[in-house]
Amino acid sequence: MDSSPPRGDKETSSLSCPAPRSSPDAAPQAAPEAAPGAAVPRGGSGTPQPPRTSRPRLDWRVRFGLLALVWGLSFLFVKISGEAYAPLQVSLGRVAFGAAALLAVLVARRQPLPRPGPLWGHLAVAGLLLNAVPFTLFAYSEERISSALAGICNATTPLFTLLVAISALPGERPHRNQVAGMALGFAGVLVVFGIWNGADGGDPAGAGMALGAAASMGVGWVYVRRFLTGRGHSALSLAAAQLTSGAAELALVTPFLTSAPTTLPAAPTLSLLILGALGTGVAFLMQYGLVRDAGVTLASMVTYLVPVISTLAGVAVLHEALNWHQPVGAVVILAGAALSQRTGRTAALRGPDGRPGTRSSRSNRSPEER
């Protein structure tokens, strides 16, 4: 999961880190659910049940660091997987293993997938924009550029999301912070590429594919916000269905565009398995738990650590070269993304469809949507 969704109810939809909208304290706590298979007294009679004790969770700060580490290392795993597998195969393996991990959790929690119907059409589009297309573009880009630079390009996702939201969502009017943040962020892109030296930041085609992946995710998050939030399904159910759709789409085209691998080298194969199950599937579950326990604002800040981890991993493990202006540009991009998320009261109180609303509307959603 490698990017931030737009403001609104996006914590119910996908794998990447949501952008801040309100403080963690503004969200009411959902009522605890009965454990699967637990006995429930009927009609108010029966022996009183002893209070349930929940398993202690890791402190949210520990999980925050683990999530940043997992997502940041994803670019390293893409690079290693690409040594033995074609980009489409890397993308297919990543989405398929991620879907398998989430489907296993769905079975364990006894939650259903969405029923067949029009909703699956929207899930297919979300799987294409948020998984199949960007994961494939990142895999192709890392054949040409370093994993560190790909991670830095990924940091532009919140800026693309905001740009598309302003253009496509009704009632979404940009304010000064958003305009200044977008301008600052895209100036950071020029710094990353060393535009004054004729773009010496790496292969232009590879960098363009990485930015195209970020743009695809920006469009995808706006689509999710417009068509998938507020449907009464849990975030886990929607995410599992979205990844399943993306895996099916990639499975349809990959055999026609690539040849089956003749060997399964240990390191690339293990990297692909980790990239899918851990970096795509389990990472979403960790993010969902952070939103629940620490609040959406704090959970969203993991986005700012991802390019730091990806850069350090690329330089330390793969000995990738790093020009001085690339980390400087990354700082400028992240500063622009942070500035663009500093919304005023009016923007913060807009509903998911862009119309004015109130924070209290969150309490009207079901516990599963929260």
Side-chain angles (χ1 to χ4, degrees):
M1 282 200 60
D2 299 320
S3 57
S4 293
R7 291 171 288 111
D9 296 332
K10 54 279 175 201
E11 65 265 30
T12 64
S13 305
S14 182
L15 305 176
S16 298
C17 168
R21 172 185 156 192
S22 60
S23 66
D25 297 335
Q29 297 295 322
E33 300 177 354
V40 179
R42 298 181 179 178
S45 62
T47 305
Q49 301 296 310
R52 293 187 293 112
T53 57
S54 59
R55 292 182 298 174
R57 299 190 186 102
L58 282 175
D59 184 86
W60 71 266
R61 297 170 186 83
V62 176
R63 285 178 283 142
F64 182 94
L66 289 174
L67 183 59
L69 182 66
V70 167
W71 274 344
L73 291 176
S74 293
F75 296 92
L76 172 66
F77 292 134
V78 169
K79 193 77 168 180
I80 297 174
S81 301
E83 295 176 357
Y85 300 105
L88 274 170
Q89 294 169 347
V90 172
S91 181
L92 172 59
R94 177 178 187 176
V95 179
F97 288 135
L102 292 187
L103 289 172
V105 176
L106 269 182
V107 172
R109 294 186 179 181
R110 300 183 183 180
Q111 291 187 23
L113 285 170
R115 294 181 179 179
L119 180 63
W120 276 91
H122 293 307
L123 287 166
V125 175
L128 182 70
L129 293 172
L130 287 171
N131 303 119
V133 169
F135 290 173
T136 301
L137 286 175
F138 274 128
Y140 273 110
S141 73
E142 290 198 42
E143 289 188 329
R144 297 170 174 263
I145 63 175
S146 67
S147 63
L149 183 54
I152 292 173
C153 290
N154 178 69
T156 63
T157 299
L159 300 174
F160 281 115
T161 302
L162 178 59
L163 180 62
V164 176
I166 290 173
S167 304
L169 292 181
E172 190 76 22
R173 297 179 181 178
H175 54 76
R176 288 179 297 178
N177 284 347
Q178 289 177 324
V179 173
M182 284 190 293
L184 182 61
F186 287 110
V189 173
L190 300 180
V191 175
V192 166
F193 296 144
I195 197 67
W196 58 89
N197 289 330
D200 67 349
D203 184 279
M209 285 186 283
L211 290 175
S216 177
M217 289 190 288
V219 176
W221 284 123
V222 175
Y223 189 91
V224 164
R225 178 176 168 183
R226 179 68 178 84
F227 294 106
L228 285 176
T229 57
R231 294 299 187 99
H233 298 282
S234 71
L236 175 60
S237 175
L238 287 176
Q242 176 185 309
L243 281 179
T244 301
S245 298
E249 292 161 355
L250 287 167
L252 289 175
V253 300
T254 299
F256 297 101
L257 299 178
T258 64
S259 56
T262 56
T263 60
L264 301 176
T269 303
L270 180 60
S271 293
L272 186 56
L273 178 61
I274 295 173
L275 176 65
L278 183 62
T280 304
V282 175
F284 165 75
L285 297 179
M286 294 171 65
Q287 172 65 18
Y288 184 51
L290 279 176
V291 171
R292 175 194 61 209
D293 298 337
V296 65
T297 300
L298 286 172
S300 70
M301 293 181 183
V302 73
T303 302
Y304 304 131
L305 294 181
V306 170
V308 177
I309 300 297
S310 68
T311 299
L312 292 175
V315 172
V317 179
L318 300 177
H319 307 291
E320 295 175 340
L322 192 66
N323 295 319
W324 67 267
H325 53 81
Q326 291 174 340
V328 171
V331 171
V332 176
I333 292 171
L334 295 178
L339 177 61
S340 70
Q341 292 174 2
R342 291 176 61 86
T343 60
R345 176 176 173 85
T346 301
L349 296 182
R350 285 178 183 156
D353 57 358
R355 295 193 296 269
T358 63
R359 287 189 178 95
S360 62
S361 65
R362 180 183 175 92
S363 61
N364 296 328
R365 288 182 286 152
S366 67
E368 288 287 34
E369 288 183 90
R370 300 188 196 117

